[in-house]
Amino acid sequence: MVNKYVISSGHGKIVRGASGYIDEVDEARRVVNRVDQILREEYDGDGWTFHDNTSRDQSTNLRTITNFHNSKPRNIDISVHFNAGVAKATGVEVLHHGKHGVIAAQLSKAMADALGLPNRGQKVRTDLYVLKNTAKPALLLEVCFVSNKHDADTYKAKFEKLCQAIAKFLADYLGYKKSSTTHVEVASNNTETFYKTGAPLGLYRVKKVCSTYSGVDFTKADKLQTLKVGTAFTVTDIVKFGNKYRFKTKMGEWVSAKRAYLEKV
Ligand SMILES: [Zn+2]
């Protein structure tokens, strides 16, 4: 059975969080929804999202969120918040209850790298209700400061990169794999990265180590020789094979027509 997550937004629709250049609750919801979507669509992930739309006071809000987390058979709990402070305060931090410093530090660094904002790192907080009362490893993300214009602008500009970084952290932690639909997309995009039929024939030079084969399907048994960087050879033909392209050399061998491997001399 696949490992699962619960990811929720901090505070609630009625019990609001911090507000500044951006609004904490609105943005936390966007991050939660996008990370969940990435884990489902781009990985083989599965889990639950939660946003509190009903609580009218803070203690009900905290209990409602925590009860949702604890009601699911999950392996990790993620709570998304944004920070607030003095105008100069900046950066990313990830809070945990005490035992999860290693993964909190990993995630904080991944988020800070994605945003290009200072990494404030992992912090132990034993006073936070959600961290204290959830039974699984729980991380509380403080994405950046809503009170800092540069943080807010950076977050808006790097939103997708941030969500991808959080999703990748969770995928690694939970053992998810990139889903096959993503592989298909990558493969079809690859046609852009090949010299195609109609590209000039003649002398090409190796930019990245690659191999020659006796057939166009590049089975292991058909492998002939490894071409070192700087080797030049003459291309006499280009053929399409599936959604890939192959060069035929003067020697009668086949080489990938990937632009990353070869340059025209
Ligand atoms: Zn908050």
Side-chain angles (χ1 to χ4, degrees):
M1 208 179 70
V2 65
N3 290 324
K4 292 184 180 170
Y5 54 87
V6 174
I7 182 167
S8 65
S9 50
H11 314 280
K13 191 176 172 185
I14 301 163
V15 188
R16 305 297 297 190
S19 193
Y21 293 98
I22 48 177
D23 183 273
E24 179 180 12
V25 171
D26 292 346
E27 299 309 324
R29 288 173 178 225
R30 281 181 68 209
V31 170
V32 165
N33 292 342
R34 180 60 188 143
V35 169
D36 176 65
Q37 186 182 33
I38 293 168
L39 288 170
R40 291 170 186 286
E41 291 180 358
E42 300 182 27
Y43 295 88
D44 57 354
D46 193 13
W48 296 268
T49 61
F50 183 72
H51 307 299
D52 178 13
N53 292 327
T54 57
S55 302
R56 299 192 167 270
D57 60 76
Q58 200 193 26
S59 61
T60 311
N61 167 250
L62 292 171
R63 250 186 298 118
T64 303
I65 292 172
T66 304
N67 288 346
F68 184 89
H69 280 265
N70 284 334
S71 71
K72 302 300 175 196
R74 77 290 183 211
N75 303 79
I76 191 166
D77 289 313
I78 301 289
S79 174
V80 179
H81 287 248
F82 284 69
N83 228 329
V86 297
K88 271 192 191 165
T90 175
V92 179
E93 59 191 40
V94 175
L95 316 179
H96 64 104
H97 195 250
K99 283 191 285 187
H100 304 294
V102 173
I103 56 172
Q106 272 172 11
L107 178 55
S108 187
K109 183 177 186 312
M111 291 166 63
D113 287 350
L115 290 171
L117 288 176
N119 180 17
R120 302 163 68 95
Q122 60 85 24
K123 286 188 179 161
V124 176
R125 287 287 295 272
T126 54
D127 57 324
L128 297 175
Y129 188 94
V130 173
L131 294 180
K132 196 154 71 178
N133 294 291
T134 43
K136 298 287 177 179
L139 301 176
L140 192 153
L141 285 50
E142 296 281 10
V143 174
C144 68
F145 281 78
V146 300
S147 44
N148 181 313
K149 186 170 189 313
H150 179 69
D151 274 30
D153 289 345
T154 304
Y155 156 76
K156 281 190 257 178
K158 305 268 180 72
F159 173 81
E160 179 60 20
K161 216 174 158 190
L162 169 81
C163 293
Q164 288 286 349
I166 299 169
K168 182 169 190 313
F169 164 83
L170 285 170
D172 289 346
Y173 184 78
L174 296 167
Y176 297 158
K177 303 221 165 18
K178 277 272 184 184
S179 63
S180 52
T181 51
T182 307
H183 291 302
V184 170
E185 271 168 40
V186 170
S188 64
N189 287 344
N190 273 349
T191 57
E192 299 307 313
T193 67
F194 287 91
Y195 293 100
K196 295 177 189 172
T197 317
L201 303 176
L203 209 56
Y204 280 78
R205 188 189 292 123
V206 176
K207 282 202 292 188
K208 197 175 154 191
V209 175
C210 54
S211 299
T212 67
Y213 295 84
S214 59
V216 290
D217 52 356
F218 288 8
T219 58
K220 246 187 184 168
D222 289 341
K223 193 170 161 181
L224 296 173
Q225 55 171 321
T226 302
L227 299 175
K228 287 183 190 151
V229 174
T231 311
F233 60 91
T234 302
V235 171
T236 59
D237 201 2
I238 303 171
V239 302
K240 195 172 184 200
F241 176 73
N243 57 6
K244 299 175 174 134
Y245 289 82
R246 309 295 199 208
F247 279 154
K248 190 174 189 183
T249 74
K250 208 176 173 181
M251 306 274 292
E253 299 174 1
W254 296 94
V255 185
S256 168
K258 244 184 195 170
R259 289 174 182 273
Y261 293 138
L262 304 162
E263 61 185 345
K264 183 78 183 81
V265 178

